Amino acid sequence: MPTPEEQATGARDLGALDGLVSDCRACPRLVAWREEVGRVKRRSFADWDYWSRPVPGFGPHDASMLLVGLAPAAHGGNRTGRMFTGDRSGDVLVAALHELGLANQATSERRDDGLRLHDVRFTAPVHCAPPDNKPTPTERDTCRPWLVRELELMRPTLRSLVVLGAFGWQAVMPALAQAGWQLPRPLPRFGHGVRVDLAAADPDRPGLAVFGCYHVSQQNTFTGRLTPAMLRDVLARAHAVATEGAATRGEAG
């Protein structure tokens, strides 16, 4: 069976990449867990037909802003088949995007609920729900080629990236280097509100502004470590950079 790297390299567009991601079975532990969750189910979702497959990215292919999380939630994305959908994390994130005019509605409940994102896309460094929300380093690295190719395909329009949480921050840095951006040395440390500007390896290509943000997990939002105002602030700053970059791109063209 082809490896994720072999498959990802051959994807000509994000639609093809998303389809390949959805069929991946490269990590036995994650395959077993996501499918077990779909069989056992949570009592409140007993009537659901769980997705129980890798969850691809979601949002417009020409977005100028990308949000990178950790991995799908067992009874969220793994159930619904869409990133940040069907759980509290998705509710908080989509509500913030809606307030900023980046989503057409404030809720994210199921794949067919009509949600549309404006100029922003969701993805994750690990596309399968992991036990205890903790992928292993090997699983993270095995999944990396999907993220690298997604970044490569978005490079013509991508101008800002928001990373939700320290795990995503650590996972996305090597992917950015592989996808054509230069990383500073030492590598920047994760922090809420941190901004790092990366130059493209190709001097004729635009750079990328990377922002850190606490993850929209229930633990963070319920304890107040991440408030809606804090989340909106980072998202607004990142989209302002993306919009400025898009305007510059339009003038140059």
Side-chain angles (χ1 to χ4, degrees):
M1 184 174 182
T3 66
E5 185 171 12
E6 291 167 337
Q7 291 182 292
T9 301
R12 295 183 175 274
D13 55 45
L14 285 175
L17 184 73
D18 291 344
L20 291 168
V21 167
S22 299
D23 290 332
C24 184
R25 299 181 66 84
C27 298
R29 187 183 79 115
L30 297 186
V31 171
W33 172 253
R34 78 195 192 205
E35 293 180 353
E36 179 185 352
V37 168
R39 285 192 301 269
V40 176
K41 304 182 181 181
R42 180 174 284 174
R43 182 176 300 178
S44 54
F45 302 126
D47 60 340
W48 271 79
D49 181 13
Y50 274 53
W51 173 258
S52 296
R53 296 164 62 189
V55 182
F58 172 71
H61 294 185
D62 61 350
S64 64
M65 177 173 159
L66 182 65
L67 295 179
V68 178
L70 190 162
H75 302 284
N78 187 58
R79 171 172 60 90
T80 64
R82 192 175 72 191
M83 288 281 180
F84 291 109
T85 301
D87 58 20
R88 178 60 181 166
S89 295
D91 290 342
V92 171
L93 179 58
V94 172
L97 291 171
H98 181 253
E99 288 194 44
L100 295 171
L102 300 176
N104 69 319
Q105 60 190 46
T107 57
S108 178
E109 299 176 353
R110 54 198 312 142
R111 285 203 311 279
D112 59 356
D113 62 5
L115 174 66
R116 294 191 305 278
L117 302 180
H118 306 312
D119 199 34
V120 61
R121 180 174 167 88
F122 296 155
T123 195
V126 176
H127 286 277
C128 291
D132 300 320
N133 290 322
K134 294 179 180 179
T136 67
T138 297
E139 290 162 350
R140 174 202 63 201
D141 295 347
T142 300
C143 208
R144 182 177 298 145
W146 300 123
L147 179 58
V148 172
R149 187 59 179 152
E150 190 166 14
L151 289 164
E152 289 174 341
L153 291 169
M154 293 187 68
R155 196 165 50 192
T157 59
L158 187 62
R159 298 296 177 268
S160 72
L161 189 153
V162 176
V163 188
L164 301 172
F167 180 94
W169 185 269
Q170 294 168 357
V172 81
M173 289 298 165
L176 287 168
Q178 288 182 244
W181 285 278
Q182 295 180 328
L183 299 184
R185 291 290 186 268
L187 288 175
R189 297 183 62 181
F190 172 78
H192 182 80
V194 166
R195 172 179 173 174
V196 180
D197 292 304
L198 303 181
D202 181 345
D204 293 329
R205 291 184 179 274
L208 181 70
V210 181
F211 293 81
C213 179
Y214 290 143
H215 197 282
V216 286
S217 65
Q218 288 192 29
Q219 180 179 0
N220 285 343
T221 57
F222 283 3
T223 61
R225 187 183 192 210
L226 178 67
T227 66
M230 291 167 63
L231 176 60
R232 287 194 305 270
D233 175 67
V234 174
L235 295 176
R237 288 169 56 206
H239 194 249
V241 172
T243 303
E244 179 182 347
T248 302
R249 184 177 71 247
E251 291 171 4

